[in-house]
Amino acid sequence: MNFFLVSFMFYGFLLLLGPGALALSSDYTVVSNYFVFDSISFYLILLILLLGVVSQLSFSTYLSLSVCFYLFLSIFFSVASFCVNHSIIFWCFYELSMLPLLYLIFKESPYSERFLAGWYFACYLLVTSLPLVLLLLYLCASNNSCFFNDWSKNSVGLWVFIVLSFVFFTKVPLTPFHTWLPIVHAEAASIVSIFLSGYIMKLGILGVYRCSCFIFDDYLFGYLFICLVLSIFFLITATSELDGKRWLAFLSLAHITIPLFAFFISDYGDINYSFYYCVGHGLSAGLVFGLLWYFYDVSNSRNWLLLKSSINCSSIMILVITCLLSLCSLPPTIQFFCEVSLIKISANFLVYLLFWGVYLFLGGLVPLVMCGHLLIRSEWNEIWECSKFNYFNFLIILCFWCYVGLIVV
């Protein structure tokens, strides 16, 4: 029933917007003084609604009313952030979308180190909030307007936009501000990890695009090079992680570099590939965090060496393969077509092609090796538990959108 409810709602959402809003182009834009709705807003709202609605419907029996309320607040403020055109209101919604998740890390996490993770997250969230709003106020005064579409890159020095971008980089997070993500993912409740990796990381990417996308030129090429090199090392580091959530956090640190890379190589008409990739990554990350949540509930362990005991029937084995291969950008996933498009755009640069060769090899190999580890030398008795149906419901719906979402959208 949940599958048909969610499918009906999103098909109605698509029909309401019409085919123009779904094109991979920024030409279709509705702008008012306070709100902007373009294809980028559409993609990110679709991602949030998928993760938020499906998780609320699937795990309604697992989550308390207070948890559902805080998750709803985070979803609401995130949707508002994607559509707002006023810089100060954007800052308010931006911060308010993360505060409910910070509270849930302290209150609902079942792990012993949740306070350490919560303080890490709080420090990166609160320490950068004041500089962010001060920079936005300075840009408002310099441009005599608080609306993003009225800002000009010639109104202030380039260094202001660079500093503003690095403030958003701390919230994505990109190198060298990435240390909080594996710690927070490891200690947060699984539903919070789904939301953090699903759409909170994309809020920073959107902030960079709204405020200072035009600075991604030769000025920051050195920083891009460092990010690309370290993304390869993140993939290598993931191979040594036995904790499933930390393993996926390091993969996410490597994957989130691709939207930044797309800013450097894309023109105005191709910039939407960056955010469409965010949709695919958010769905696959939420999908695998949901799979790990199921494994933890069955095996009471977070160790990869013990999680394979949770695969107790052939149907779950197929589900595990489908979920983990979504991290490999296996066709027809959304990430695959976005990466192919970005490779075509960067085909004239040898350095970029070298990065793509190493990244795609390791990015596909690491999840594939983990998938093989879970499947080989496994013994089980065929067991189906009705109490786990909510997990399967969540995983099947997200698998559908990961692999068929491109055809639907």
Side-chain angles (χ1 to χ4, degrees):
M1 182 179 295
N2 288 347
F3 177 81
F4 289 108
L5 284 174
V6 173
S7 300
F8 176 79
M9 183 189 67
F10 285 112
Y11 277 121
F13 183 49
L14 299 177
L15 291 173
L16 178 65
L17 292 173
L22 312 183
L24 276 173
S25 171
S26 297
D27 297 335
Y28 301 97
T29 306
V30 178
V31 180
S32 66
N33 285 335
Y34 289 92
F35 296 99
V36 53
F37 189 86
D38 52 9
S39 54
I40 292 172
S41 300
F42 168 77
Y43 294 140
L44 296 179
I45 291 173
L46 181 65
L47 169 64
I48 289 182
L49 292 180
L50 277 170
L51 289 176
V53 173
V54 174
S55 62
Q56 296 282 4
L57 290 175
S58 299
F59 302 118
S60 57
T61 57
Y62 291 84
L63 304 175
S64 64
L65 289 178
S66 62
V67 173
C68 292
F69 173 72
Y70 285 110
L71 294 178
F72 172 77
L73 287 180
S74 179
I75 293 171
F76 173 79
F77 289 123
S78 298
V79 171
S81 299
F82 292 146
C83 299
V84 73
N85 190 39
H86 192 283
S87 58
I88 306 304
I89 298 177
F90 171 79
W91 174 82
C92 294
F93 288 154
Y94 185 87
E95 300 297 333
L96 287 173
S97 65
M98 291 182 279
L99 288 177
L101 299 183
L102 174 62
Y103 172 76
L104 291 178
I105 290 175
F106 283 108
K107 184 176 184 298
E108 295 297 329
S109 174
Y111 305 116
S112 58
E113 299 295 329
R114 62 185 182 275
F115 295 107
L116 174 64
W119 283 116
Y120 260 91
F121 190 32
C123 287
Y124 275 99
L125 176 64
L126 301 177
V127 170
T128 57
S129 294
L130 181 60
L132 178 58
V133 71
L134 291 178
L135 287 170
L136 292 176
L137 288 172
Y138 176 69
L139 287 170
C140 291
S142 301
N143 291 276
N144 295 318
S145 175
C146 292
F147 303 113
F148 290 130
N149 59 323
D150 292 334
W151 288 3
S152 170
K153 64 179 179 181
N154 299 320
S155 59
V156 295
L158 183 66
W159 65 270
V160 177
F161 292 103
I162 293 177
V163 172
L164 180 62
S165 296
F166 273 88
V167 172
F168 282 113
F169 290 163
T170 63
K171 300 172 182 291
V172 173
L174 294 172
T175 305
F177 316 105
H178 61 276
T179 54
W180 65 267
L181 188 69
I183 298 173
V184 172
H185 273 314
E187 304 303 326
S190 294
I191 188 64
V192 176
S193 295
I194 290 172
F195 280 38
L196 279 174
S197 191
Y199 65 82
I200 291 297
M201 296 175 70
K202 285 68 179 178
L203 284 169
I205 297 291
L206 178 71
V208 172
Y209 172 75
R210 295 285 191 223
C211 299
S212 54
C213 183
F214 49 82
I215 70 169
F216 290 95
D217 204 343
D218 297 336
Y219 307 108
L220 293 179
F221 181 79
Y223 178 70
L224 172 66
F225 179 78
I226 294 173
C227 289
L228 296 182
V229 171
L230 288 181
S231 67
I232 303 299
F233 282 98
F234 288 145
L235 293 172
I236 297 174
T237 304
T239 61
S240 62
E241 286 292 337
L242 291 179
D243 188 301
K245 296 179 76 173
R246 286 179 59 88
W247 174 84
L248 186 53
F250 278 107
L251 286 187
S252 294
L253 287 174
H255 294 158
I256 205 61
T257 308
I258 300 302
L260 172 69
F261 180 54
F263 284 164
F264 282 88
I265 64 176
S266 302
D267 56 20
Y268 182 75
D270 297 324
I271 198 68
N272 283 346
Y273 287 117
S274 172
F275 293 95
Y276 201 41
Y277 180 89
C278 289
V279 175
H281 172 263
L283 290 174
S284 63
L287 175 64
V288 178
F289 271 118
L291 178 69
L292 293 173
W293 190 1
Y294 165 75
F295 280 165
Y296 298 158
D297 195 29
V298 173
S299 63
N300 295 317
S301 173
R302 294 167 40 159
N303 193 309
W304 278 118
L305 299 177
L306 302 177
L307 289 182
K308 63 192 310 177
S309 63
S310 305
I311 305 175
N312 51 18
C313 67
S314 57
S315 301
I316 296 178
M317 180 181 69
I318 295 173
L319 196 58
V320 168
I321 295 172
T322 307
C323 293
L324 290 181
L325 290 185
S326 69
L327 294 174
C328 299
S329 299
L330 185 76
T333 56
I334 296 173
Q335 303 99 294
F336 170 78
F337 291 100
C338 292
E339 289 173 355
V340 169
S341 300
L342 293 175
I343 291 173
K344 290 170 60 179
I345 297 172
S346 58
N348 296 326
F349 300 92
L350 182 60
V351 176
Y352 293 162
L353 290 179
L354 178 63
F355 162 73
W356 279 118
V358 179
Y359 172 84
L360 293 177
F361 173 73
L362 291 176
L365 182 64
V366 173
L368 193 63
V369 169
M370 188 57 64
C371 182
H373 161 73
L374 293 176
L375 298 181
I376 62 173
R377 305 188 65 174
S378 296
E379 299 179 2
W380 66 71
N381 295 320
E382 192 84 12
I383 298 175
W384 267 99
E385 298 183 46
C386 294
S387 60
K388 309 301 181 186
F389 178 76
N390 289 343
Y391 291 107
F392 305 144
N393 190 21
F394 176 79
L395 296 176
I396 290 171
I397 293 175
L398 287 193
C399 279
F400 170 82
W401 281 93
C402 275
Y403 288 93
V404 191
L406 182 71
I407 299 174
V408 175
V409 177

